[in-house]
Amino acid sequence: MSIERYDIVIVGAGPVGLLLSTCLARWGYKIKHIDMRPVPTVTGRADGIQPRSLDLLRNMGLKRAIMANEPAKVYEVAFWDPAENSKGIHRTGTWASCPKFIDARYPFTTLLHQGLIERVFISDLEQNGVKIQRPWRITGFSSDGVDKHHPVEVSIAHVDGDKEETIRAKYLFSGEGARSFVREQLKVGITHKDPIAHVWGVMDGVVRTNFPDIKMKCTIHSDAGSIMVIPREANMVRLYIQVASSTDADWDPRKTATTDQVQATAKKILAPYWIEWDRVEWYSVYPIGQGIADRYTLDERVFMGGDCCHTHSPKAGQGMNTAFLDAQNLAWKIHHVESGFADRSILKSYESERKLIAENLLNFDAQYAKLFSQRQPSAGEVGPASKHPTGDEKVDENEFIKMFKASCEFTSGYGVAYNENIFNWSDSHPAKSPLFLSEKAGSTTQRPGRILSPATVTRVADANVVHLEQEIPLNGSYRIYLFAGKPSMTKKAVDDFATNLNKKGSFFSSYTRPDVSQLDYHEQHNPHSLFFTINTIFNAHRPDIEVRALLPELLARYFDHVYADDIWDQRVPNAKAAAHAKMGLSEDEGGVVIVRPDGYVGCAVKLVEGSGTVDALNDYFASFCTKSLGGGERAQL
Amino acid sequence: MSIERYDIVIVGAGPVGLLLSTCLARWGYKIKHIDMRPVPTVTGRADGIQPRSLDLLRNMGLKRAIMANEPAKVYEVAFWDPAENSKGIHRTGTWASCPKFIDARYPFTTLLHQGLIERVFISDLEQNGVKIQRPWRITGFSSDGVDKHHPVEVSIAHVDGDKEETIRAKYLFSGEGARSFVREQLKVGITHKDPIAHVWGVMDGVVRTNFPDIKMKCTIHSDAGSIMVIPREANMVRLYIQVASSTDADWDPRKTATTDQVQATAKKILAPYWIEWDRVEWYSVYPIGQGIADRYTLDERVFMGGDCCHTHSPKAGQGMNTAFLDAQNLAWKIHHVESGFADRSILKSYESERKLIAENLLNFDAQYAKLFSQRQPSAGEVGPASKHPTGDEKVDENEFIKMFKASCEFTSGYGVAYNENIFNWSDSHPAKSPLFLSEKAGSTTQRPGRILSPATVTRVADANVVHLEQEIPLNGSYRIYLFAGKPSMTKKAVDDFATNLNKKGSFFSSYTRPDVSQLDYHEQHNPHSLFFTINTIFNAHRPDIEVRALLPELLARYFDHVYADDIWDQRVPNAKAAAHAKMGLSEDEGGVVIVRPDGYVGCAVKLVEGSGTVDALNDYFASFCTKSLGGGERAQL
C-alpha cells in the first residue's frame, strides 16, 4: 500500500493551527490536521480578539460567526489604585482600549471563550472538506527528503496508542502550544527574555458585585495584591490574580492556590466593594515563564508557530492574536511557493518577520508584567509633590498607566511593523526605481511592512458604501490599489498602466491563471491571475464614473473593484478624496499601492504616463518571484 | 378527550405570520401555527427588506442571521429613459434609495429571497418550541364564545384531508395571503383603490450583460416598454416587466407571457446594451389588483394582516415590510391585553393604525404604478423648452423621478406615522398635563406615532458605543427614556422621578412583576415590571458618571441602561449632547420620552422637580391600562 501524501500536516487545533488550516484548505491544499484533545477547548484559555485580528477575521468572512456568540467588547480600560489612608481602592482614570489616534475599524477588544472561536474555524474547515483527526498526536517525523516532492515523513498515533499512521507531506507545522513535541525533537531552544517567572491564577465565573467597573477591563492594584478584570460573554468575568513571583522570598514555581483562596484574595483586593460568585466556570493556576523559540524553522519544511514559539503572560491579551498572525504570515508564503509564484527562499521570511514581532511582544510583556505585579503606591504615599521618585519602590504613580497608553498601538495589533525585506520595500530593496514613494520622502503615508490604512469608499457597480481594505478577501492574492486620481488628469497614465500590465513579461501577465479561458463570467477577484486583484479608486463622484468608458478593458474586467473616493472622513475633513488623502497620495494624480496578501503594505509607486509605474513593480516582484520579469536581469535575493 | 387550547392559532407562515408567532413565542404564549405549503418558500416572492424593517429585525436579534445570507444591498436607484433620436436608453440620473435627509442606521434596501428570511424566523421559533405544522390548512372557525377564555374554535386539516383537528384559542390570526379563507368566511370585502389592474411578469435569474447598472435598482423606460431591475443575492437579478394593463385596448387579466417572450422584451428595452441569461431561477406572471380589506378584524378575536389585508404592485418593495409592521403592531397589543396590563379595547387600534398605513401604501402604489407603466418621453421629445407639458401624454420628464424622491421616506419605512390616539399623545389626548412636550410647541422633535430618532451614546457600565434606540430588545416593554440632562442641574428632578415611580398607584409600581422577589441578579431589562424598561441618559462624559452615586436605587437597578451622551453626531455638529439635541430636548434639563414597545413614540414629558412628570405619565398610561393610577379618576377611552 502506498503511503498517503499531503501538502501539509498540521499538529494542534488551537488558533494558530486552525487559521493556517483554514487558509490552506480554502486555497485547495490537501491537509492532515490532528489534535491531541478529543474535543475543542471546553472552558478557559485565551479569549481576547484584538482590533487588528477582527479585521483579519472579517477579511476571512468569519467575523459574523464570531460575533453571533455575543462576545463582550472592551472599549476602555479602568485603572484602580490604593486609595489614600488605606481606604481600599479608587479609580485613578480610564483610557481607551484602542484610542482614536489608532485608525481602527473596530476600536475594541472582543472577548470570547476560545472554544467558541475554534468552532467557527472548524465549521469553516468542514465546508472545505477538512476534519480534525482527534484525539491523535504526533509520534515522530523526519525531513528526510526521500520523496523530493513530499520530503517530510510524519508518524501520528491515536492517543490511546491503538492506531498509527505514517504519512508524507511537503510541510509539517507544529501549533502544539508551549509543550511542543516537534520543537523538542528539533532541539530548538527557548530563550527567556525575562528571568522573572510568575504563577498566575485565572478564574472565569459569574459574579455579583457592586464594583462599578465589573464590565470593564480593569487593572487593580491594592495593598492586598493586584488583579486584572476582564469581562466575558454571557455575564462572565475573568479574573487574573498573581499567586507567586520568582522575586518572592519564598518563590516556588509549583505554588498553587485553591479557588477559595483566590476568591478570598479578590475580595480583599476589591474592598470596600463586595463580590460573590454565582458559579466558577473555569479555574487554573499555572506558572508562566517568558520564552521565545530560537528558531521557527530549521529547513523551511518543518515550521512552528503560536505558543510553541512564544510564551508570555496572558494579561495583554496577545497570545491568540499573535498566533493568528503567525499562521496568516506562513499561509500565503507557502501558497506562493507551492503555486509556483514565488521563490522557495521567501519561506525564510516567516521566521524573520514573525520572530521580531514575538520579541517585541516579550519585551512589552516583561515590562508590563513587572509593573503590573508591583504594588502601586497609594495617592497619599506619592502625593502631589513626589514627582521625582527617590527609589525603585517609589515609582511614579502613573508609570504603569503611561506604559499602557504608550502600548495601545502594539496591543491593538496595529503596531506590527515588519522590517524592510524583499516584500517590504525600502531604499535598500533591489528595486531601485525613482518612482517608489516613501513616507520618508513625504510622498505617501503608507509604510511597507505596516497595515494599509482603512478607507471608506463607494463601490461603483452597486453604489454600496464599503471598507476599501476589506474589498478583497484573504484569497492569497496581492492587492493592487490603483488610486487613479482625477479621471481627467490620469487618463493616459491609467491606460498606460493597463497596457504595460498586459505586456509579455510583466509581473501581471507572467502569472496568468491556467484556466483563464474557461473562467466563470462572474469571477470577481481573479479574472486574470490568482496572484493579483486590482482595485481602481477614482477621485470622482460615483455617478460620474462609467467603468467601461473610463477604464481600459483589462481594468474594467474588475468591474466590482472600481470605487469612487467620495465619502467624507472625519480624519481628513478637508480632503475632497478622503481615501487618496489618507494614503498620502495626490488627490489629482493618485498612485499605486501594492499590498501583500496579508494586508501589509509592500510598496507604493507613483502613477505616471509611460511604462515607469509597471517597470518599478516588475522590479519589485522580480526580487522574489520565480520568473524573470520586464525583460531585465533577475534581481538577486 | 378534552379539546386542546392555545393562546393563538396562526394560519400562514409567510412574513406576517412568522413575525407575529416569533414575538408571541418569545413572550411565552402557546401557539398553533399552520401553513398550507409543505416547506418554506423555495423560490421567488418578496425579497426587499427596507431600512426600517432592518431596524426591527436587529431589535429582534435576527439581523445577523439575515445578513449571513449575503444579501444584495441597494443604496441608489438609477433612472433610465428613452434616449434622443430613438437611440435606445440612457441614464437620466440616480438617487439615494434612502437619502441622507432620512436619519436611518441602515440607509439601504436589503434584497434576499423570501425563503431565506422565513428560515431565520423558523429557526428562532424552533428555539422557543414552536414548530410550523405543514402542510395543514384551516377548514373552519367560529368565534362562538362557548369558552369564555378561549372563545374561538378552529378546525384545521392536513391538505390531503386525512387528518383533522379541532382546537380552541383566544385568538385566530390569518396571515394567509391574498386568498384568505378567513377573510372570505368573515365576508370582509376588498375595496379597490385604483380601478386599473396590471399583469406583471417577474423573473429571477443569473445574467450576463454589459448594462452598467445591473447591480443597482433601476427603473427603465424605453420605447419598447418598461422594466425594473432589482439586484439579488448570489449574483442574481430580478426583472419586473409589465405584461398587460387594464388600460390596454386588448386588456385581458389572464394574458400571459413565456420566459422567452419576457427575455426578448427585456433585450429590446435594454438595447443598445446586451443581456443573456445563464439560468432562470424563478419566473411568474400574475395579475395584480390593488385592494384593501374593509376590516382587519370584526371582534378583536379573529385578526388578519399582511397580503390578506392589502395587495398592490410589488415594485416599491413594500409588501413584506408592511406585513412585518402589521404583525409587530398586533403582537404587543395582544400581549398587553393578555398579560393584564392594558384594557381589551386597545385591540381596536390594530385596525385603525395599520389600515391607515395600508391606505397610504395603496395611494402611493397607484400613483407609482401608473407613472411607471407610462412610456416616458425621450429627451428629444421633451427638450429643454418643454417645461410646460401641453397634455396628459406630455408629462414632465421628471414626474416619475420626482415622485420617487418624494416617496423615499415612505418607502424606507420611516414615513409610517400613526394618528393620534390613546397611545400617541396629542392635545386631544385624555392626559392633559401642561408638562407634555410637543413638536408643535417646539419643545421636542419627537412626534407621537413616529419612530424614535436614532442616537449613538456610550453605555456607562462597559463603555461600549451603542445605538440607543436598539438598547431594549423587542421584549413587549414600554421604553422609558429619561434624558437626564446635566447631573448637576437635574439631581433633584431625577430623584423625584424615581420617588414618584415608586409611589403606590403609579403606572410603574402598579404593574410590578409577580416574580420580582425571585429575579435573577443579572436581569437587565425588566427588574421591576415586565411592561417597562428604563434608560437614563446623562449629558456628561462616561467616566464622570458613577451610576450608584448619581442615581437613586430604582434607576441604578437598570445598571446596563445608563448612558453618557458624549458621542459627536454629524447631524447636530454643534451639540454637546447629541442625543438630547436630536430629541429636541434641553441639553441641560433633559426630558422623558415614552416609546411604545414597537419603537414608536408615545409621548414626551418635561423633567421637573416634584411629582409632575410622573403625574403626567400616570394620566397617559391610565388612558389604556387596566388599573386606576395616581389616585385619580380612570380616564375615559
Side-chain angles (χ1 to χ4, degrees), chain B residues 610-628:
Chain B
S611 69
T613 305
V614 173
D615 290 343
L617 295 178
N618 285 338
D619 290 349
Y620 168 77
F621 285 107
S623 71
F624 55 83
C625 79
T626 53
K627 297 182 187 173
S628 290

Side-chain angles (χ1 to χ4, degrees), chain A residues 48 106 147 159-160 295 346 414 433 455:
Chain A
Y106 311 109
D147 171 342
V159 292
D160 292 344
R295 302 296 308 272
I346 70 163
Y414 292 104
S433 166

Side-chain angles (χ1 to χ4, degrees), chain B residues 18 39 62 110 127 218 232 284 305 336 392 414 482 496 524 604:
Chain B
L18 287 170
V39 292
L62 302 177
T110 302
Q127 285 173 38
C218 306
R232 290 278 303 273
S284 177
H336 280 196
D392 275 343
Y414 292 104
L482 171 58
D496 289 351
Q524 295 183 342

Side-chain angles (χ1 to χ4, degrees), chain B residues 56 73 93 109 133 153 204 271 342 345 348 350 374 398 436 474 522 570 611:
Chain B
L56 168 57
K73 295 178 190 169
T109 303
Q133 190 166 327
E153 186 180 85
D204 285 347
S345 60
K348 290 183 194 296
Y350 167 64
Q374 279 169 352
N398 290 316
F436 282 103
L474 188 65
H522 299 282
Q570 211 182 339
S611 69

Side-chain angles (χ1 to χ4, degrees), chain A residues 64 67 73 75-76 91 206-207 209-210 215-216 462-464 521-522 524 542 546 548 560, chain B residues 64 67 73 75-76 91 206-207 209-210 215-216 462-464 521-522 524 542 546 548 560:
Chain A
R64 191 177 281 127
M67 289 303 184
K73 296 178 191 168
Y75 279 75
E76 284 188 25
R91 190 197 297 116
V206 176
V207 303
T209 179
N210 64 344
K215 298 204 170 181
M216 309 265 288
D462 59 7
N464 278 215
Y521 174 87
H522 299 282
Q524 295 183 342
R542 195 207 65 77
E546 291 290 346
R548 295 190 181 87
D560 297 299
Chain B
R64 192 177 279 127
M67 289 304 185
K73 295 178 190 169
Y75 280 74
E76 283 187 29
R91 191 196 298 116
V206 176
V207 303
T209 180
N210 64 344
K215 297 203 171 181
M216 310 264 288
D462 59 8
N464 277 215
Y521 174 87
H522 299 282
Q524 295 183 342
R542 196 208 63 78
E546 292 291 347
R548 294 191 182 87
D560 296 299

Side-chain angles (χ1 to χ4, degrees), chain B residues 352-430:
Chain B
S352 61
E353 290 196 333
R354 294 306 303 166
K355 193 158 179 278
L356 171 72
I357 304 303
E359 277 165 3
N360 292 344
L361 169 59
L362 265 68
N363 289 337
F364 162 77
D365 182 64
Q367 265 190 285
Y368 194 79
K370 188 176 158 201
L371 282 170
F372 184 79
S373 51
Q374 279 169 352
R375 176 187 161 281
Q376 304 294 311
S378 70
E381 285 170 326
V382 180
S386 68
K387 283 195 173 160
H388 308 284
T390 53
D392 275 343
E393 281 294 321
K394 286 263 182 188
V395 293
D396 181 338
E397 186 186 9
N398 290 316
E399 195 172 325
F400 175 74
I401 298 175
K402 268 186 197 162
M403 187 198 163
F404 176 87
K405 293 183 179 182
S407 305
C408 284
E409 193 184 24
F410 184 77
T411 54
S412 68
Y414 292 104
V416 167
Y418 297 130
N419 281 342
E420 56 190 46
N421 63 18
I422 43 168
F423 297 122
N424 312 320
W425 188 88
S426 70
D427 290 343
S428 57
H429 193 277

